[in-house]
């Protein structure tokens, strides 16, 4: 297995700038973790609230590294067959039907049942060769010749048994297929595991990974994110809308706005040719930021006060 020789990881500042060039504004802490993960060849376990850009980080890494993104979406009940490989049973059956006419030729010259079974046994592995193997995300990532970015998304939704299996795969970057033997990674994948903290991940998994917690960005970083992801928003309006969103996150809402919703709101304000925030504009577009009616009603009761703070 060769260590990735891709450029772009010579320095932490290179990583920070490179990710920003492809649309992801990251803090120095995130850039440092990306840099270390590359050089230590360790997976990154990314935790944090929903909507702070955990999945987007992996997608951006694929763009930055010019590698395919292979995604494994986790859920309760996910097992090895869905994550690693399956046999193409339909194709095996079809080939069996097609080739049955050849059976007489194959058995020609055999003497007795035992002799015939021995003759057939010589060929039974044909149907359990790589041509009948359907690789799933984990195996696909190991087999990618030029390397891949593997995203194991929402790993906290999987069962603990699957987490233990995943830990085994990520420890050695190899898997065992009984009919074929051990399959090792051709090129080390760059691995991200994301978690929304619906359950605590095991200490073993955390030890195996570099841990990265992404909180909601502060106002300075969020203004930068809006500048890059929604270009064209005037600086004053950008500052106002970010200030308003930051105040929203201080409220006891059922769901606080995510970073992606801030970006969506900025784009909406651009479409509406807004130059400054005002209570009426906020009220008309509040549904872009808030997804629960109870939250909208709470904010509408404080709309003038919050709008005034945002435009100061």
């Amino acid at each position: 297995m060769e260590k990735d020789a891709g450029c772009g990881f010579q320095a932490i500042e290179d990583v920070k700038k490179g990710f920003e060039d492809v649309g992801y504004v990251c803090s120095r802490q995130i850039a440092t973790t990306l840099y270390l993960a590359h050089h230590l060849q360790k997976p990154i376990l990314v935790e944090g609230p929903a909507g702070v850009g955990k999945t987007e980080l992996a997608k951006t890494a694929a763009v930055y590294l010019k590698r395919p993104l292979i995604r494994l979406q986790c859920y309760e009940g996910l097992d090895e067959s869905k994550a690693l490989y399956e046999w193409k049973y339909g194709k095996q059956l079809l080939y069996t039907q097609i080739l049955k006419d050849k059976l007489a030729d194959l058995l020609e010259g055999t003497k007795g049942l035992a002799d015939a079974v021995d003759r057939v046994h010589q060929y039974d592995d044909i149907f359990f060769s790589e041509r009948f193997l359907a690789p799933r995300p984990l195996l696909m990532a190991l087999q990618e010749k030029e390397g891949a970015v593997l995203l194991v998304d929402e790993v906290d939704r999987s069962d603990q048994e699957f987490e233990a299996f995943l830990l085994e795969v990520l420890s050695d970057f190899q898997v065992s297929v009984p009919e074929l033997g051990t399959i090792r990674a051709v090129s080390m994948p760059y691995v991200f595991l994301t978690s929304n903290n619906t359950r605590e991940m095991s200490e073993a998994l955390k030890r195996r990974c570099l841990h990265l917690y992404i909180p909601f960005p502060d106002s300075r970083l969020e203004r930068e994110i809006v500048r890059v992801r929604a270009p064209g928003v005037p600086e004053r309006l950008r500052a106002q809308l970010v200030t308003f969103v930051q105040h929203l996150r201080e409220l006891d809402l059922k769901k606080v706005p995510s970073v992606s919703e801030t970006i969506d709101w900025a784009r909406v304000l651009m479409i509406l040719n807004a130059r400054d925030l005002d209570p009426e504009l906020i009220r008309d577009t509040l549904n872009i930021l808030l997804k629960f009616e109870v939250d909208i009603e709470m904010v509408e009761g404080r709309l003038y006060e919050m709008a005034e703070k945002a435009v100061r």
Side-chain angles (χ1 to χ4, degrees):
M1 180 168 47
E2 296 179 0
K3 185 176 179 178
D4 182 82
C7 59
F9 285 90
Q10 290 86 351
I12 294 171
E13 286 306 318
D14 292 342
V15 178
K16 193 170 185 297
K17 183 177 184 312
F19 271 63
E20 182 171 330
D21 288 345
V22 290
Y24 192 99
V25 180
C26 55
S27 64
R28 184 171 175 82
Q29 181 201 15
I30 294 175
T32 301
T33 304
L34 293 167
Y35 174 84
L36 293 175
H38 172 80
H39 289 283
L40 295 175
Q41 295 188 313
K42 280 196 165 193
I44 303 175
L45 173 60
V46 192
E47 295 188 298
V52 293
K54 301 186 294 296
T55 300
E56 196 63 29
L57 182 62
K59 292 179 178 177
T60 305
V63 175
Y64 180 61
L65 292 168
K66 297 178 181 173
R67 293 182 183 180
L69 175 73
I70 298 176
R71 181 174 183 167
L72 173 62
Q73 179 63 49
C74 295
Y75 52 87
E76 188 176 350
L78 177 64
D79 58 21
E80 293 182 27
S81 65
K82 295 291 187 297
L84 191 57
Y85 73 91
E86 286 183 295
W87 290 108
K88 300 175 183 176
Y89 293 117
K91 186 175 179 180
Q92 288 172 326
L93 182 60
L94 176 63
Y95 274 57
T96 303
Q97 294 299 314
I98 292 173
L99 296 174
K100 67 180 182 181
D101 294 338
K102 296 292 183 183
L103 195 58
D105 298 338
L106 177 67
L107 298 179
E108 186 176 356
T110 57
K111 298 176 181 177
L113 184 60
D115 194 17
V117 169
D118 288 343
R119 179 72 63 84
V120 172
H121 182 68
Q122 296 175 19
Y123 300 92
D124 60 357
D125 287 343
I126 290 176
F127 292 101
F128 290 95
S129 58
E130 289 200 28
R131 71 177 64 188
F132 294 101
L133 189 71
R136 297 306 180 203
L138 292 180
L139 186 55
M140 290 169 64
L142 298 183
Q143 291 180 320
E144 190 63 45
K145 291 182 180 177
E146 301 300 324
V149 172
L150 173 63
L151 168 60
V152 183
D153 213 6
E154 299 184 329
V155 65
D156 51 323
R157 293 185 181 276
S158 65
D159 302 320
Q160 291 184 340
E161 291 77 10
F162 181 78
E163 183 186 327
F165 161 72
L166 191 61
L167 182 63
E168 186 180 336
V169 175
L170 297 180
S171 294
D172 300 318
F173 287 97
Q174 66 180 35
V175 296
S176 178
V177 179
E179 296 85 351
L180 300 178
T182 300
I183 299 177
R184 296 179 175 81
V186 179
S187 181
M188 180 72 80
Y190 200 74
V191 183
F192 293 85
L193 299 90
T194 71
S195 167
N196 289 328
N197 298 318
T198 58
R199 70 172 174 85
E200 187 73 20
M201 306 312 299
S202 71
E203 291 185 9
L205 186 67
K206 288 187 175 181
R207 280 198 304 273
R208 183 66 191 83
C209 302
L210 289 180
H211 183 257
L212 173 65
Y213 182 83
I214 303 181
F216 283 114
D218 60 24
S219 58
R220 184 197 61 77
L221 182 59
E222 191 158 25
R223 286 197 300 272
E224 270 301 291
I225 293 171
V226 173
R227 183 185 66 78
V228 171
R229 300 300 298 271
V233 177
E235 184 177 349
R236 187 171 64 180
L237 179 60
R238 188 165 65 236
Q240 292 174 359
L241 72 91
V242 167
T243 300
F244 184 81
V245 170
Q246 295 270 329
H247 285 320
L248 280 181
R249 293 193 184 122
E250 295 172 357
L251 302 179
D252 184 22
L253 299 175
K254 193 170 182 179
K255 180 190 174 302
V256 296
S258 66
V259 176
S260 62
E261 286 160 340
T262 304
I263 296 168
D264 287 344
W265 195 39
R267 290 170 176 162
V268 165
L269 296 178
M270 282 292 291
I271 292 171
L272 297 176
N273 296 315
R275 308 304 295 179
D276 288 287
L277 286 185
D278 62 62
E280 185 177 354
L281 177 63
I282 295 173
R283 181 181 291 107
D284 290 345
T285 57
L286 202 51
N287 60 324
I288 306 298
L289 292 171
L290 302 177
K291 309 303 180 185
F292 291 91
E293 190 59 27
V294 63
D295 288 344
I296 292 176
E297 290 174 359
M298 177 195 292
V299 174
E300 282 182 336
R302 307 177 57 174
L303 205 52
Y304 284 88
E305 171 199 347
M306 294 182 67
E308 186 178 346
K309 286 182 179 177
V311 299
R312 277 178 187 165

